[in-house]
Amino acid sequence: MSKRRNTVLSLMVAAGMTLALCGPAGAADKIVKIATQSPLSGDQSLIGVDIRRGAELALEQLSGPLTALGFKVSLAPFDDQANPDNGVANAKQIVSDPAILAVVGHYNSGVQIPSSEVYHTAGLANVSPANTNPKVTTRGYLEVNRIVGRDDVQGVVGADFATSKGVKTAFVVHDKTAYGQGIAEFFKKRAEETKIKVLGFEGTEEKANYDALLTPIIAGNPDLVYFGGMAPQAALLFKQARQKGYEGIFMSDDGFASADAAKIGEKNLITGGGTFYSDVSGPASAYPGTAKFISDFTAKYKAAPQPFAAQGYDSMAISLKAIENAAVANKNEVPTREAVAKAIRALKDFKGITGTYTFNGIGDPEVARYFILQVKSADPAQWNTNAIVQTLDIAPPK
């Protein structure tokens, strides 16, 4: 074989390899990723892992229409560790991947708010299954949406319930986060409007020994102790208060909605005046459309879904449908991030398993559901059987 012939063949082989790598547009080229951000490690991972699992299950069950259009759809899970710095670092990594067209997350408002500044700058859509601080949506970002209620309503719901229980005095504690302090302030404001005397309003980052904080609480003996924040701190505070002889009512918020609360607080949550919490998700079984979800989730993950898992499912479902609509509008090609963000806002009466969703002009659902629940068992495995005391459907403030 001559040298010239070898050269020609080499060029032909190289050209063929290049064609094979570039290829015609097909599934291998039409890659779509949807990221999740939630605490997958640390003391809030029980909820964070199930948010990711809910989103993962939805992607497996509902990505068929996009696959039929020739897209390869995959999940890109990130662990924000319930830490704003981790959330922002992950967000920067997420927006650098052009295949990621939406983010489902976060669990903590204090993580979502700074992280979503990154999403907003990059034009990347974010559907939150759990974040309740008003600032999540009141910044008016096109990219940011949530499917749950807001703390300026949830705090009022909690205070009104306390009033209905005949509470005359309360001591309010929060965890100094955007979420915990925010909802505690909304609870305090409404409580005072309804003539509840607030004996104290204190923030703490303590996670082990509440002796100093409990001294004025025990001395004041309020009818109710309210904690704005997450379950690990709230449950330990309540446990130590009960052990010091406090017999009044404990109350918290949707951050308390975790089986870890029963694991930490034990029987102290069901003695005395009992323990109540407001919630924007409720157990999955509270929604009429979740029977198949609960069955499929339990079969796949060998455990019943924690609160917000069903909202993780619906947040992913909304993201998938919006990407599908935007892709069809783009002649079945990969849509822009801006088109996906607009497609989410354009959804009308989207039927999820936890409700029917239409977003208002700032990304809040037009109507959100709020619950008041009472802890009924010290057994963490029975957390989903807590009694639903109230269910309210309320539009967001204007």
Side-chain angles (χ1 to χ4, degrees):
M1 186 179 291
S2 69
K3 182 177 181 181
R4 182 176 179 279
R5 189 178 178 190
N6 274 338
T7 302
V8 170
L9 283 173
S10 296
L11 289 172
M12 291 175 66
V13 169
M17 289 179 66
T18 302
L19 286 172
L21 288 171
C22 294
D29 302 302
K30 294 166 60 171
I31 297 172
V32 167
K33 299 178 186 176
I34 300 174
T36 60
Q37 275 236 66
S38 59
L40 304 180
S41 59
D43 63 3
Q44 297 177 36
S45 60
L46 186 67
I47 301 298
V49 167
D50 272 14
I51 288 175
R52 186 210 69 197
R53 286 173 170 173
E56 180 180 59
L57 186 60
L59 189 145
E60 290 177 3
Q61 295 184 342
L62 305 176
S63 61
L66 277 170
T67 302
L69 293 175
F71 291 94
K72 180 180 180 182
V73 188
S74 62
L75 184 73
F78 287 79
D79 179 9
D80 66 26
Q81 300 179 38
N83 181 295
D85 293 339
N86 290 88
V88 170
N90 290 343
K92 291 177 180 177
Q93 187 176 345
I94 287 169
V95 301
S96 71
D97 184 345
I100 295 179
L101 296 184
V103 181
V104 172
H106 297 240
Y107 179 41
N108 308 85
S109 292
V111 182
Q112 192 277 347
I113 291 170
S115 300
S116 59
E117 293 290 343
V118 180
Y119 308 145
H120 169 60
T121 300
L124 180 63
N126 174 204
V127 181
S128 167
N131 299 124
T132 50
N133 188 288
K135 191 176 179 180
V136 168
T137 52
T138 56
R139 291 168 295 172
Y141 294 161
L142 168 67
E143 299 83 8
V144 178
N145 312 272
R146 61 176 146 207
I147 66 168
V148 293
R150 297 167 39 146
D151 291 339
D152 45 358
V153 177
Q154 187 185 179
V156 170
V157 168
D160 285 351
F161 175 75
T163 300
S164 74
K165 293 285 287 182
V167 169
K168 301 298 183 187
T169 57
F171 198 106
V172 180
V173 184
H174 62 81
D175 63 2
K176 294 187 175 181
T177 67
Y179 164 68
Q181 182 169 349
I183 192 168
E185 289 174 346
F186 288 120
F187 176 89
K188 176 177 179 288
K189 180 176 183 293
R190 181 61 173 176
E192 291 175 334
E193 288 172 352
T194 57
K195 309 304 180 186
I196 293 176
K197 185 176 181 180
V198 177
L199 304 181
F201 184 83
E202 298 289 343
T204 180
E205 295 176 331
E206 177 62 50
K207 294 184 177 180
N209 188 333
Y210 291 99
D211 281 354
L213 181 60
L214 286 171
T215 297
I217 293 176
I218 299 300
N221 194 29
D223 295 331
L224 179 145
V225 175
Y226 183 88
F227 188 90
M230 310 307 290
Q233 276 183 282
L236 187 60
L237 172 69
F238 295 164
K239 177 180 181 178
Q240 292 181 6
R242 198 69 92 207
Q243 290 173 339
K244 287 183 176 294
Y246 177 74
E247 290 295 322
I249 299 170
F250 295 130
M251 188 164 194
S252 191
D253 46 41
D254 62 301
F256 192 76
S258 168
D260 278 344
K263 182 179 180 181
I264 296 167
E266 302 174 320
K267 64 180 181 181
N268 303 285
L269 301 183
I270 56 175
T271 57
T275 302
F276 299 84
Y277 57 102
S278 59
D279 200 359
V280 296
S281 68
S285 58
Y287 302 92
T290 54
K292 183 177 186 302
F293 164 77
I294 294 171
S295 174
D296 292 346
F297 187 102
T298 304
K300 181 176 178 64
Y301 301 111
K302 311 304 179 190
Q306 289 289 314
F308 296 107
Q311 281 74 16
Y313 186 99
D314 272 350
S315 295
M316 176 60 77
I318 287 168
S319 299
L320 289 168
K321 186 61 180 176
I323 293 170
E324 176 192 341
N325 289 350
V328 170
N330 194 36
K331 300 179 180 178
N332 296 344
E333 295 299 325
V334 177
T336 65
R337 286 174 169 174
E338 180 184 12
V340 173
K342 290 180 176 178
I344 290 173
R345 288 290 172 86
L347 292 173
K348 302 296 181 187
D349 297 327
F350 178 84
K351 293 187 181 304
I353 60 173
T354 61
T356 300
Y357 295 100
T358 300
F359 297 105
N360 66 12
I362 62 172
D364 282 321
E366 290 189 341
V367 177
R369 179 157 292 184
Y370 299 84
F371 301 89
I372 296 289
L373 296 104
Q374 181 178 13
V375 179
K376 300 301 287 186
S377 172
D379 181 0
Q382 299 301 313
W383 186 259
N384 285 338
T385 66
N386 285 340
I388 297 175
V389 181
Q390 285 185 356
T391 302
L392 304 164
D393 291 329
I394 304 175
K398 295 184 178 179

